[in-house]
Amino acid sequence: MCPQIRPMTPTFGAEIFDADLSRDDHFEAIRQAFVDYSVIAIRDVALSPDDHLAFARRWGDVNVNRFFQPLAGHPEIATVIKEPHETRATGEEWHTDHSYDQIPAMGSLLYAVQTPDAGGDTAFASMHAAYMALSDGFREMLDGLQAWHSSRHVFGVDSERGRQQEGEEPGKYKNAGDATQDALHPVVITHPMSGRRGIYVNRTFTTHIDGWTAAESAPLLNQLYEHCAQPEFTCRVRWTPGTLGIWDNRATWHKAINDYPGERRVMHRVTIEGVPIS
Ligand code: SIN
């Protein structure tokens, strides 16, 4: 049986059923779905941490997250956990993982271990759909710009996370002293696998347009952030234990929806190295 692919929206995102992650032909179908849909949710797969890593390695080298706590005994697996007493969730603001790196990660494989009865979805936004909805003239203007991204204000020693945030478990993030990455990327990139053009700035990590001050950059960046977050460019993954979600950082934003107070959510994340973007 082949994996069954069910689009989530007419624009992007797909659920995948009946996948056998050990099969090469299924991997090829899943990889093609990733290129076509940018976000995939593979349903009903039982993965031990070793299985998760073995499947992740089919995609490329593992990029070990510097700032998240690892799963005990598995330093390549980052934990994304919200305890019942915590009021903040990891990744609540729209973002693209690792955009502060010179070579941003391809994407992540997030495996749901424990989920709330309802809620705790992840929202995604398609940067290609958002780009294509802009006028020719506006796209042309954006095509000539580059923007700076940084990890410093998010994970660094002077950031809220570096200082420990209210509403979060102590020690949730580590290595604040290593948050020294700054990277310059085009505001619009060509996707290295699909060839599609898409917006590549995000509210969490982008600091300013190259050659502009932060204050000068803010009106344009905020306009883009509001444009890209419109519901018609978004989809949501509803998690149940045994769902493996895979998203493409070069094509999407994502945000964790923090709507399940008092419940526990446990996810394991493996991130895959990317390639230079332009
Ligand atoms: C993340 O931003 O990597 C976490 C997303 C989620 O927990 O839904």
Side-chain angles (χ1 to χ4, degrees):
M1 186 187 288
C2 293
Q4 304 299 307
I5 298 173
R6 188 184 301 162
M8 290 182 202
T9 73
T11 309
F12 79 123
E15 292 180 288
I16 300 183
F17 299 90
D18 303 323
D20 179 344
L21 303 191
S22 66
R23 282 178 56 165
D24 292 345
D25 59 334
H26 282 209
F27 175 68
E28 284 312 317
I30 291 167
R31 189 177 176 281
Q32 190 57 49
F34 173 78
V35 176
D36 294 343
Y37 294 98
S38 304
V39 176
I40 52 178
I42 308 173
R43 299 297 188 190
D44 307 318
V45 283
L47 292 182
S48 68
D50 286 335
D51 296 335
H52 188 178
L53 275 171
F55 184 65
R57 289 198 183 100
R58 282 180 172 264
W59 296 80
D61 292 336
V62 172
N63 173 311
V64 180
N65 189 284
R66 306 169 188 90
F67 308 120
F68 289 9
Q69 293 294 351
L71 182 65
H74 291 88
E76 292 163 297
I77 301 181
T79 54
V80 180
I81 300 177
K82 181 167 176 271
E83 298 292 353
H85 63 271
E86 290 183 286
T87 56
R88 301 182 69 130
T90 299
E92 280 184 49
E93 180 57 272
W94 284 114
H95 64 284
T96 302
D97 292 334
H98 299 211
S99 71
Y100 45 77
D101 284 331
Q102 299 293 337
I103 300 181
M106 176 202 87
S108 285
L109 287 78
L110 188 69
Y111 185 63
V113 176
Q114 183 176 349
T115 56
D117 289 340
D121 297 357
T122 307
F124 294 88
S126 166
M127 295 300 103
H128 173 64
Y131 177 67
M132 294 310 291
L134 297 169
S135 68
D136 291 347
F138 199 73
R139 287 206 299 255
E140 203 174 311
M141 184 270 297
L142 293 180
D143 287 344
L145 299 177
Q146 296 197 298
W148 285 95
H149 302 243
S150 182
S151 63
R152 296 169 196 272
H153 60 288
V154 180
F155 295 111
V157 281
D158 294 328
S159 69
E160 282 188 16
R161 281 189 184 83
R163 293 195 305 268
Q164 180 63 47
Q165 287 190 113
E166 205 177 305
E168 275 176 358
E169 189 74 352
K172 188 155 190 154
Y173 302 100
K174 61 188 176 87
N175 296 334
D178 291 348
T180 54
Q181 299 78 28
D182 299 301
L184 182 64
H185 299 299
V187 167
V188 180
I189 62 168
T190 300
H191 191 276
M193 294 165 101
S194 70
R196 290 193 287 250
R197 300 277 287 161
I199 293 167
Y200 195 74
V201 287
N202 67 88
R203 199 184 274 286
T204 299
F205 297 117
T206 306
T207 53
H208 61 285
I209 304 286
D210 187 41
W212 301 16
T213 66
E216 288 165 347
S217 307
L220 175 62
L221 290 175
N222 285 329
Q223 181 184 350
L224 283 176
Y225 299 152
E226 279 167 33
H227 169 75
C228 294
Q230 291 178 86
E232 53 269 45
F233 308 135
T234 69
C235 72
R236 280 168 81 139
V237 171
R238 167 98 184 91
W239 302 96
T240 48
T243 293
L244 178 68
I246 310 179
W247 64 81
D248 190 327
N249 282 325
R250 293 84 48 96
T252 59
W253 286 348
H254 61 280
K255 69 177 276 175
I257 303 190
N258 183 8
D259 60 354
Y260 52 100
E263 292 196 73
R264 189 166 197 251
R265 179 176 183 268
V266 179
M267 314 291 275
H268 292 173
R269 195 178 100 175
V270 181
T271 297
I272 306 299
E273 295 284 10
V275 294
I277 53 168
S278 57

